[in-house]
């Protein structure tokens, strides 16, 4: 399985992915690694409606999603893997998923978070987890839809910290 | 003259509202705002011509992600006004005025994009203030905040149009009296831009989807058949 | 009878307000203010000041984003749930859950149909119509788009209100994904017609060579890399300005 995009997005499979990234990468499979979605078959059915028929959709909790990725390691299908938060992404890495880079495409505002980009707001714990992910040699890139400028997230984090001090 | 420009800018403001803030009836689509602008400046055919070209170019743009789309309605209205004003000077070729109007529309639309970012920043402040008042237990007025934001969105489009027309009106007599160069035939450039625009539609409707080619070929065949039958 | 009439009035008000869902759109809260505005007419009826109103507003000023047309389903459904909530039949958390569960799938379905399909199609049909109707082309564009747009705005609010939380299964039966496929076919077909019409037009207005030039430019442009495709305004500006200068300098045309 060729992980063409691993993305952190709190809205998971919305139009930026279903239109923007799918048209750009033409994947064979979209894998949503999320407990909450996996527990709701009705929601899974709704999510499938937003995709063209040429893309397969799989929804699983983190551990099973990691299993799917590892089991399909030898096939050549192009896969987009979606998780809700940096913490979920870290759990995927812990479960043995290997990837060179992770795309941060949507971490929205909540009370007490600070803004890095219009679509990336981080809290203290987010920063910690993101640093951990980066320390495993995974490159963190912030970009919402293909064609827009992309940013090195670690650089943004460090720059933001300097301004805070 | 002044009244005509005020009506034009008012229409640009209304069409700009339609993009995001309200209705989404597609008044903001260049073919529609271009045609409206054409009627206002007394030259519907200019409005349709410039509107069609811009409609083609922007038919692949979608409101996805953090970068706003170019300000199509205000750009189109300004471009149509500029093209019609050049025609009125009598000193330019039709293809030059159309091309100049098109370029003006593209420039104003790009300039308008950054004003959309400011507008959204102000909206964000309105919302933050409302939530702060709400969480501290004070009264909030959602309707008033909404009306404020609508007013802001309208005046962004209106004032941008006023500003663009004001600045560009200096250029009209200069170009109109330039003679020679502006009287040339610029049709090939217009053709290339239209080709680019049709290309956008190719990427929307024909590219990458299996089985779309027969539908496209069917359209070509039918159009050719009708052409031949008609003459 | 009288109750039916007031209910109809409320629903009409809700439909009218649904057109303002995106007012004050911003990056931090997206459609939150718009949703609160749409709902505030419901709020006046179901939350009678003080704590109830504050909680009502808190439920509806949180981050929210979906396709503005299909949002009407959520608007109708939320209005129904808010009425039930005022009678103590459901919890505030359930209302928020419905909103967030439906927002994402409706955004994907709606954006694909309305933004990526119907909008370019109505533009294309409008352009074709402008070829022989002139200014009437704009009316064709408006008609094609708004038949679907207004239908789903109105239907969404009505069905959402009728079904409340039961709305999820109704949405999974929406015909829009299949319609999206048809829109693609019609678009490709109309594009073929447009190509021939445009070539003929340029052959009459310019030279016979248009039959080669226009399709090759269109084909090349159709396969531009993503980076340039999302910057078509800048590309068109550069192409137009360069062409203008070359023609003015006597090197082109």
């Amino acid at each position: 399985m060729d992980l063409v995009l691993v993305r952190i997005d709190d809205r998971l499979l919305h139009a930026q992915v279903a239109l923007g990234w799918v048209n750009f990468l033409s994947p064979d499979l979209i894998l949503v690694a999320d407990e909450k979605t996996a527990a709701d078959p009705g929601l899974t059915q709704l999510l499938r409606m937003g995709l063209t028929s040429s893309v397969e959709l799989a929804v699983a909790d983190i551990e099973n999603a990691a299993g799917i990725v590892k089991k399909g390691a030898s096939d050549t299908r192009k896969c987009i893997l979606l998780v809700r938060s940096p913490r979920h992404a870290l759990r995927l890495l812990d479960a043995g998923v290997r990837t060179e880079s992770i795309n941060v495409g949507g971490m929205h505002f909540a009370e007490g978070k600070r803004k890095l980009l219009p679509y990336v707001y981080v809290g203290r714990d987010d920063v910690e987890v993101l640093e951990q992910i980066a320390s495993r040699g995974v490159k963190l890139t912030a970009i919402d839809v293909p064609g827009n400028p992309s940013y090195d997230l670690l650089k943004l984090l460090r720059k933001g910290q300097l301004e805070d001090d | 003259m002044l009244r005509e420009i005020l009506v034009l800018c008012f229409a640009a403001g209304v069409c700009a509202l339609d993009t995001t803030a309200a209705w989404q009836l597609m008044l903001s689509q260049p073919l529609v705002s271009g045609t409206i602008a054409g009627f206002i400046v007394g030259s519907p055919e200019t409005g349709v011509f410039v509107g069609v070209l811009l409609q083609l170019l922007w038919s692949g743009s979608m409101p996805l992600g953090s970068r706003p789309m170019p300000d199509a309605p205000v750009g189109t209205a300004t471009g149509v006004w500029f093209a019609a004003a050049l025609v009125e000077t009598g000193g330019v070729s039709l293809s030059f005025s159309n091309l100049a109007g098109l370029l003006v529309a593209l420039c104003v639309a790009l300039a308008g994009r950054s004003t959309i970012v400011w507008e959204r920043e102000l909206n964000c402040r309105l919302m933050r203030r409302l939530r702060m008042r709400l969480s501290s237990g004070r009264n909030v007025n959602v309707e008033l905040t909404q009306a404020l934001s609508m007013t802001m969105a309208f005046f962004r489009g209106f004032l941008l149009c006023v500003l663009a027309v004001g600045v560009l009106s200096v250029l009209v007599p200069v170009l109109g009296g330039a003679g020679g160069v502006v009287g040339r035939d610029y049709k090939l450039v217009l053709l290339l831009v239209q080709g680019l625009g049709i290309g956008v539609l190719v990427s929307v409707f024909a590219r990458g989807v299996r089985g779309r080619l027969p539908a496209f070929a069917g359209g070509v065949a039918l159009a050719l058949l009708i052409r031949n039958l008609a003459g | 009878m009288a109750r039916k009439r007031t209910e109809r009035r409320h629903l009409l008000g809700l439909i009218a307000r649904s057109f303002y869902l995106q007012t004050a759109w911003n990056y931090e809260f997206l459609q939150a203010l718009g949703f609160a505005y749409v709902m505030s007419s419901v709020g006046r009826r179901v939350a009678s000041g003080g704590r109830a109103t504050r909680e009502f507003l808190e439920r509806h000023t949180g981050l929210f984003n979906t396709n503005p047309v299909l949002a009407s389903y959520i608007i109708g459904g939320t209005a129904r749930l808010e009425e039930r909530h005022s009678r103590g039949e459901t919890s505030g958390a359930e209302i928020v859950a419905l909103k967030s569960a439906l927002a994402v799938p409706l955004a994907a379905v709606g954006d694909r149909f309305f933004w990526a399909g119907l909008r370019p199609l109505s533009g294309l049909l409008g352009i074709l119509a402008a070829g022989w109707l002139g200014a009437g082309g704009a009316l064709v564009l408006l008609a094609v788009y708004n038949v679907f747009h207004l239908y789903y705005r109105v239907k969404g609010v009505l069905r959402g209100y009728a079904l409340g939380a039961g709305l999820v299964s109704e949405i999974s039966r929406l015909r829009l994904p299949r319609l999206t496929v048809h829109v693609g076919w019609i678009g490709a077909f109309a594009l073929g017609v447009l190509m021939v019409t445009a070539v003929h037009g340029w052959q009459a207005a310019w030279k016979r060579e248009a039959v080669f030039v226009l399709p090759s430019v269109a084909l090349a442009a159709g396969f531009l890399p993503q980076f340039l495709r999302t910057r078509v305004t800048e590309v068109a500006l550069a192409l137009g300005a360069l062409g203008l200068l070359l023609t003015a300098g006597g090197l082109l045309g």
Side-chain angles (χ1 to χ4, degrees), chain C residues 58-83:
Chain C
E58 264 161 19
R59 276 199 291 283
H60 300 304
T61 49
L63 184 142
F64 180 76
N65 206 47
T66 190
N67 176 269
V69 184
L70 295 189
S72 56
Y73 282 94
I74 303 182
I75 291 167
T78 309
R80 166 46 64 89
L81 286 191
E82 279 294 347
E83 284 179 7

Side-chain angles (χ1 to χ4, degrees), chain C residues 177-193:
Chain C
R178 235 177 327 136
L179 270 179
T180 308
V181 178
H182 297 319
V183 164
W185 285 101
I186 300 169
F189 182 85
L191 183 58
V193 177

Side-chain angles (χ1 to χ4, degrees), chain B residues 25-28 32 36, chain C residues 122 137-147:
Chain B
L25 293 168
M26 298 299 125
L27 301 176
S28 55
V32 181
I36 294 173
Chain C
S122 55
L139 290 178
V140 170
L141 185 156
L142 288 173
V144 172
Y145 186 84
N146 285 308
V147 162

Side-chain angles (χ1 to χ4, degrees), chain C:
Chain C
M1 197 59 207
R3 218 184 111 220
K4 262 248 152 78
R5 206 170 308 139
T6 39
E7 186 182 297
R8 200 177 311 149
R9 215 183 58 234
H10 291 322
L11 283 174
L12 279 176
L14 206 53
I15 291 167
R17 278 183 180 237
S18 76
F19 286 89
Y20 299 92
L21 175 69
Q22 299 209 109
T23 311
W25 196 95
N26 64 78
Y27 297 119
E28 212 157 289
F29 307 97
L30 305 120
Q31 294 163 341
L33 181 84
F35 199 85
Y37 171 75
V38 175
M39 278 298 137
S40 56
S41 67
V42 179
R44 260 200 300 278
R45 282 187 289 126
V46 301
S48 47
R51 200 171 136 222
T53 302
R54 221 182 39 250
E55 282 179 3
F56 178 90
L57 282 169
E58 264 161 19
R59 276 199 291 283
H60 300 304
T61 49
L63 184 142
F64 180 76
N65 206 47
T66 190
N67 176 269
V69 184
L70 295 189
S72 56
Y73 282 94
I74 303 182
I75 291 167
T78 309
R80 166 46 64 89
L81 286 191
E82 279 294 347
E83 284 179 7
R84 298 190 46 195
H85 179 257
S86 70
R87 298 193 297 266
E89 293 167 12
T90 182
S91 69
E94 233 167 290
I95 298 173
V96 175
L98 180 86
K99 274 175 69 181
S100 70
L102 290 179
V104 165
L106 282 180
V109 175
D111 286 2
R112 179 175 288 282
F113 179 75
F114 287 101
W115 289 162
L118 188 63
R119 183 155 68 165
L121 178 68
S122 55
L124 174 49
L125 296 179
I127 288 166
L128 278 176
W132 41 279
L133 293 174
L139 290 178
V140 170
L141 185 156
L142 288 173
V144 172
Y145 186 84
N146 285 308
V147 162
F148 292 92
H149 170 210
L150 298 177
Y151 174 77
Y152 279 101
R153 282 251 200 217
V154 175
K155 190 187 172 195
V157 172
L158 298 182
R159 293 302 289 164
Y161 185 77
L163 294 166
L167 155 76
V168 178
S169 66
E170 163 100 354
I171 287 172
S172 66
R173 284 197 305 272
L174 269 183
R175 274 194 301 262
L176 281 181
R178 235 177 327 136
L179 270 179
T180 308
V181 178
H182 297 319
V183 164
W185 285 101
I186 300 169
F189 182 85
L191 183 58
V193 177
L194 178 69
M195 192 72 101
V196 174
T197 320
V199 165
H200 272 277
W202 283 111
Q203 281 186 323
W206 182 63
K207 285 183 192 163
R208 290 202 61 78
E209 280 83 343
V211 74
F212 305 112
V213 181
L214 190 73
S216 13
V217 175
L219 202 68
F223 290 84
L224 277 180
Q226 181 82 14
F227 173 78
L228 292 175
R229 235 184 308 140
T230 50
R231 285 168 181 73
V232 68
T233 315
E234 288 89 338
V235 173
L237 191 57
L239 180 72
L242 190 68
L244 183 89
L245 290 177
L246 287 178
T247 313
L251 296 165
L252 201 74

Side-chain angles (χ1 to χ4, degrees), chain B residues 7-139:
Chain B
V7 175
L8 179 83
C9 295
F10 179 83
V14 171
C15 292
L17 270 182
D18 185 74
T19 315
T20 306
W23 321 308
Q24 296 96 38
L25 293 168
M26 298 299 125
L27 301 176
S28 55
Q29 292 293 293
L31 180 58
V32 181
S33 33
T35 306
I36 294 173
F39 274 110
I40 292 172
V41 300
S43 174
E45 59 285 3
T46 306
V48 174
F49 188 89
V50 175
V52 162
L53 279 180
L54 292 166
Q55 181 73 40
L56 282 170
L57 288 171
W58 284 324
S59 52
S61 313
M62 262 186 293
L64 277 189
S66 60
R67 222 164 47 118
M69 297 188 294
D71 192 345
V74 178
T76 308
T78 316
V80 168
W81 162 80
F82 192 70
L86 281 181
V87 172
E88 263 174 44
T89 64
V92 304
S93 70
L94 195 60
S95 56
F96 178 81
S97 65
N98 281 331
L99 179 60
L102 178 84
L103 294 181
V104 160
L106 295 170
C107 288
V108 173
L110 283 178
R113 176 155 69 189
S114 38
T115 66
I116 295 177
V117 177
W118 302 337
E119 183 195 325
R120 289 179 175 178
E121 192 51 50
L122 286 173
N123 279 336
C124 194
R125 286 197 200 155
L126 278 180
M127 194 63 200
R128 272 193 212 137
R129 198 169 144 264
L130 187 134
R131 299 222 329 176
M132 215 137 79
R133 288 181 66 97
L134 188 64
S135 62
S136 63
R138 276 180 289 177
N139 276 342

